[in-house]
Amino acid sequence: MKKIILLSTAILIASCGTSSKTSTFTSTQQTKVETVDPTKYAATITSDELKTMLFKYASDEFEGRETGEKGQKMAVEYLKEQYIAMGIPSPLGGNDYFQEVPLEKQKVASALVKVNDKEFISFEDQIVLRTPESVNVSNNDIVYAGYGIDTENYSDYNNIDVKGKIVLAKAGEPKNEEGNYVTSGTSEETKWSSGRQSLSSKREAASDKGAKGLILMDDEQFSRFAPFYQRVFESGESGRLSIKGNDGAMFMLLVTENLGKTLNPDITESDTPKVINTNLEISIENPSENITSENVLAYIKGSEKPNEIVVVSAHLDHEGIKNSEVYNGADDDGSGTIAILEIAEAFKAAEKDGNGPKRSILFLHVTGEEKGLLGSRYYTDVDPVFPLENTVADLNIDMIGRTDPKRKEGDRNYIYLIGSDKLSTDLHNISESVNSTYTNIEFDYTYNDENDPNRFYFRSDHYNFAKNNIPVIFYFNGTHDDYHKPSDTPDKIEYDLLENRTRLVFYTAWEVANRNDRIVVDKATEE
């Protein structure tokens, strides 16, 4: 294998910002038509400024930027101050740069469950997997829905109405005469057949049908979950964060088969869906805590096509403090956060010269990425400030300040690109052309492979745009030994690389924002 070639900072800087080649963008804001050279504005993106800001943003002062906690609040104030100082407004108006994201810090609940006056004990017979609100049920109809599966080629919900009712379903997935699973026609396990994914798949199916509750019988999963849930309940600790109200009002119980058969004694003899009339009582007190976090939004309004939006995104949060150690998250994703500030400064410099972008640029710093892409999901699924149909592309930056020790070939001046060709050939071609013209970075598409076991395409904020058929590029340097550790500190960032990669994103955003025609979406997203 080839050895890694170490480029000096001077050589790398010379290759990334001094090209005399110019963009095809022609300014219409001046009386005299002339070609605008974006290298002048890219040159405002410097390693020195990136370093100064990142040493501040990823310092102990910000306490690891835990979602909803003090350090994260300090981080969003810092970002707001930077935009105000640059004279870049918020699309929310005035000095309001914060899109509030309502979150729920979930705690394990216990439930009182009685069937025909027989009580079933929490953590012995039943556990509460979710309860978006406190629940009190008495003498309600229960609908038995077999395996609780709903697909185009097989559905347990055919000919039954579960709206406003409680669904009882059992574990697993039926097989056909050939011994293959009915939803796929193969012997490979599916998202319905077993494991954690089967729980979420059956929950979503019941919710989509309008059920107010799901009782799922699964002895195997119950034996796995119950001890952990009991431990967390007794400790009083908080669990995961979720978007408040975004999961619907449906509660979900995971129960033993013994409880399920008490509700429906015919389960073992028939899979036929039916309404069960029984004396059921359920009482659940929701102990979860409501908190608020913030996305930070700033934008530069387009000069010709202001209603078309190009998003440049990165997540502002990290892991917080654990065992008295601060998880600074300099690379993850301090590097992307600070990169956006420098990109915004470059676009602002162009606007001051009368060369503002034709399309609007939204600089979007999202919260809660480490907790499940919460901030970007809130923006796309709950409250998009700009209509998604007007959103041209999302260029998402998540970890661009280091090198991946797993790379055995090529030089250090590289970047992993993920998603550029998933939805738009236009975007992919622009990306390649921009790089060859301006930055000369080695593009590594290793993690763009659909069979990549890391599934990075689904693990950062661009995905919430992609699932809505908005073309994306995810810029990523790969993981390293300091990933999600307190040792991810700003002194380990390779600032020459960070500068060149930031300029790459700027040039790409410049071309997408200023080309005559909006990029074309020519492929459908696959979730």
Side-chain angles (χ1 to χ4, degrees), residues 402-414:
R402 297 280 295 271
T403 54
D404 184 352
K406 298 184 182 70
R407 270 179 51 93
K408 303 299 183 183
E409 297 182 359
D411 62 42
R412 62 190 282 271
N413 183 30
Y414 77 96

Side-chain angles (χ1 to χ4, degrees), residues 72 76 90-92 96-102 292-298 316 362 364-367 374-386:
Q72 180 257 302
V76 298
S90 167
L92 303 174
D96 183 8
Y97 286 78
F98 301 154
Q99 180 186 46
E100 292 189 347
V101 180
T292 300
S293 190
E294 298 84 17
N295 293 333
V296 180
L297 284 68
L316 60 88
L362 174 64
L364 177 63
H365 302 264
V366 292
T367 189
L374 299 180
S376 58
R377 181 151 60 94
Y378 186 80
Y379 180 91
T380 59
D381 296 6
V382 181
D383 186 22
V385 173
F386 296 101

Side-chain angles (χ1 to χ4, degrees), residues 413-448:
N413 183 30
Y414 77 96
I415 193 72
Y416 292 119
L417 283 198
I418 303 172
S420 64
D421 62 349
K422 298 292 188 188
L423 298 171
S424 173
T425 304
D426 266 355
L427 182 58
H428 179 75
N429 291 340
I430 289 169
S431 172
E432 289 281 345
S433 176
V434 160
N435 182 51
S436 64
T437 302
Y438 298 111
T439 46
N440 300 309
I441 294 174
E442 178 191 345
F443 282 175
D444 189 330
Y445 291 100
T446 298
Y447 296 124
N448 195 52

Side-chain angles (χ1 to χ4, degrees), residues 173-189:
E173 176 181 349
K175 296 182 177 181
N176 58 25
E177 294 179 356
E178 289 76 36
N180 295 321
Y181 288 110
V182 294
T183 63
S184 64
T186 70
S187 59
E188 298 285 330
E189 288 199 343

Side-chain angles (χ1 to χ4, degrees), residues 59-226:
S59 67
D60 287 355
E61 178 185 355
F62 286 78
E63 300 183 355
R65 308 187 301 278
E66 172 80 18
T67 300
E69 300 298 329
K70 175 187 172 184
Q72 180 257 302
K73 305 295 185 183
M74 295 175 66
V76 298
E77 288 292 343
Y78 174 82
L79 296 174
K80 174 181 175 178
E81 290 169 5
Q82 298 305 307
Y83 284 114
I84 291 174
M86 287 188 282
I88 299 175
S90 167
L92 303 174
N95 281 336
D96 183 8
Y97 286 78
F98 301 154
Q99 180 186 46
E100 292 189 347
V101 180
L103 299 174
E104 185 176 71
K105 187 181 290 187
Q106 296 183 339
K107 294 185 178 181
V108 172
S110 64
L112 172 66
V113 177
K114 289 184 178 181
V115 180
N116 297 325
D117 293 326
K118 179 180 179 181
E119 185 172 346
F120 290 87
I121 308 301
S122 285
F123 313 115
E124 293 182 17
D125 304 297
Q126 44 83 11
I127 51 178
V128 182
L129 290 188
R130 66 176 55 232
T131 178
E133 56 186 21
S134 295
V135 173
N136 283 286
V137 171
S138 181
N139 296 320
N140 270 61
D141 286 342
I142 306 169
V143 179
Y144 175 59
Y147 294 92
I149 296 172
D150 183 42
T151 65
E152 288 186 5
N153 62 328
Y154 175 91
S155 179
D156 289 302
Y157 289 93
N158 289 338
N159 303 317
I160 59 170
D161 180 13
V162 302
K163 189 172 183 179
K165 298 189 168 95
I166 298 171
V167 169
L168 173 67
K170 64 181 180 179
E173 176 181 349
K175 296 182 177 181
N176 58 25
E177 294 179 356
E178 289 76 36
N180 295 321
Y181 288 110
V182 294
T183 63
S184 64
T186 70
S187 59
E188 298 285 330
E189 288 199 343
T190 75
K191 69 178 186 178
W192 304 97
S193 54
S194 65
R196 291 181 66 102
Q197 197 172 15
S198 71
L199 303 182
S200 59
S201 298
K202 295 183 180 187
R203 173 184 57 79
E204 289 170 7
S207 179
D208 288 345
K209 294 297 181 180
K212 72 175 181 181
L214 172 65
I215 300 175
L216 181 63
M217 302 173 288
D218 190 330
D219 277 351
E220 181 179 350
Q221 295 300 314
F222 186 87
S223 63
R224 287 180 56 203
F225 280 83

